[in-house]
Amino acid sequence: MIELSMKDNHIFYVKPVVICVAIFFSVAPHCRAQNGIAAPQTTDSELQQVISNWCNKKDLLKAIRGSFTRSIYDRVLLTEKRSVGKFYYEKMNVGRVDTYGPAFIQSDVSYPPFHNKRKQYEVLSTNPKKWVNDGKMIFKVDELKMTYEAIPAESIQKPSEINIVEVMESSHPLFWGLTKENIKEKFKIKLVENTKDQIILLLVPLYLKATDTNIHGAKIVVNPKTYLPEEIQINYPLRGQVVCFTFSDIELLKTDKDRNSWLKGFFDEMSSFQPDLSQFKQDEVVRQPVGTSSVPSVIGLTARNAELVLKRSGFKSRFVAGPYAVVDEDIHKVCGQDPAAKTFAKDETTIKVSVFSRRKSTSK
């Protein structure tokens, strides 16, 4: 099994070229990048040729579309969130991604191959969402709540700070805009395998903050004929998450063609690039203050898991005894937090966490 070690797990949120790679890999519990087959030694000249071919192929594309599956493994909560979807990318700042839960889940548990102790993960499905970027506005659509957010594209100053998972649900293509010159300035690249069947690359960002919780490394399986990513394994060691993407039914557009005619019937029956939002309610976009992070919800978690979730989000925690638990299974579970979830707080802020306590016995 080829696996990202905790040392190599620097996941990058690369701008462009990453989109091809991230968006082309989705829920694959058994990525070929983990197949355990020993690869022959590669040379620096081979790596340079792969990078050159990769960038040259990318530059010839007008647009790309396809399907993907995705698994988000949470090593803290021992859960796997599965989703499937379709994507379209025209260029760095134009695209659409529709993500929805799979039609069915064959089993309610899974055993991720990267987990050394073979722990059992609970399988969950994801809610349907859409991300659309027409170059001027980014629309984030929640089909379950029938709401959407409209964000000016120019307001996204640093897309590299966006969580890679959000990228997969937005229209910022991974690796799409990197050139063979600046890709080497941004990443330490290792050519793990280079055969007629597949190319495997390991990318690690050269510049990371010690507290960075975004991408810390990615292993990418590239098709040697098209140089498009087929699978990707992304690791967030500080977040305790591993994300796997797999891509299929990829189609390329190399000539100028009307976007809507090419996408007709692709996303849905109406199939225009821009979804019909007439029945959706627009949510007000709350801007995140600089130097702050969104406080995650830890309600219902055990005290131990709550501490881990807050820590990986950049916060400290202080636990206090709350009301008595009505049932024993609620003892030591979180019943309140301050600041509240989905609010913004400065990094390293201490979150006050209340947990259900055990009622003292009155018997003598």
Side-chain angles (χ1 to χ4, degrees), residues 9 39 45 51 69 194 247 290 313-314 348-349 357-358:
N9 294 335
S45 61
I51 294 175
T69 55
N194 182 19
F247 303 89
V290 177
S313 297
E348 298 296 314
T349 293
S357 56
R358 185 192 302 272

Side-chain angles (χ1 to χ4, degrees), residues 8 78 108 136 150 188 191 212 226 244 273 335:
D8 291 331
L78 296 182
D108 58 352
K136 296 180 179 180
K188 177 181 179 182
L191 181 59
D212 193 345
T226 63
C244 285
F273 173 73
C335 58

Side-chain angles (χ1 to χ4, degrees), residues 3-4 6 9 73-79 114-116 119 121 235-236 239-242 308 312:
E3 176 185 349
L4 285 179
M6 295 302 286
N9 294 335
Y73 297 99
D74 192 312
R75 304 181 76 162
V76 175
L77 304 180
L78 296 182
T79 59
F114 57 79
H115 207 301
N116 297 332
K119 289 192 176 181
Y121 280 52
N235 203 307
Y236 305 71
R239 297 173 60 107
Q241 291 182 334
V242 176
L308 290 170
R312 72 186 187 187

Side-chain angles (χ1 to χ4, degrees), residues 64-104:
I64 185 171
R65 69 184 184 187
S67 301
F68 68 89
T69 55
R70 182 189 69 202
S71 282
I72 304 174
Y73 297 99
D74 192 312
R75 304 181 76 162
V76 175
L77 304 180
L78 296 182
T79 59
E80 175 196 346
K81 290 185 178 180
R82 292 182 184 175
S83 59
V84 297
K86 293 183 178 181
F87 68 89
Y88 166 81
Y89 288 113
E90 185 174 306
K91 49 187 176 181
M92 175 184 166
N93 61 341
V94 174
R96 170 174 168 174
V97 179
D98 288 18
T99 305
Y100 43 93
F104 65 92

Side-chain angles (χ1 to χ4, degrees), residues 345-358:
K346 292 183 178 180
D347 297 338
E348 298 296 314
T349 293
T350 298
I351 309 300
K352 180 180 177 182
V353 182
S354 301
V355 297
F356 286 113
S357 56
R358 185 192 302 272

Side-chain angles (χ1 to χ4, degrees), residues 193-231:
E193 182 174 339
N194 182 19
T195 68
K196 63 178 182 179
D197 297 317
Q198 67 179 14
I199 297 171
I200 299 179
L201 295 168
L202 171 63
L203 279 75
V204 177
L206 292 175
Y207 306 101
L208 282 174
K209 297 178 181 178
T211 58
D212 193 345
T213 58
N214 285 328
I215 299 177
H216 281 54
K219 274 196 174 169
I220 303 164
V221 178
V222 178
N223 185 309
K225 294 182 180 179
T226 63
Y227 278 85
L228 292 174
E230 294 181 338
E231 299 174 3

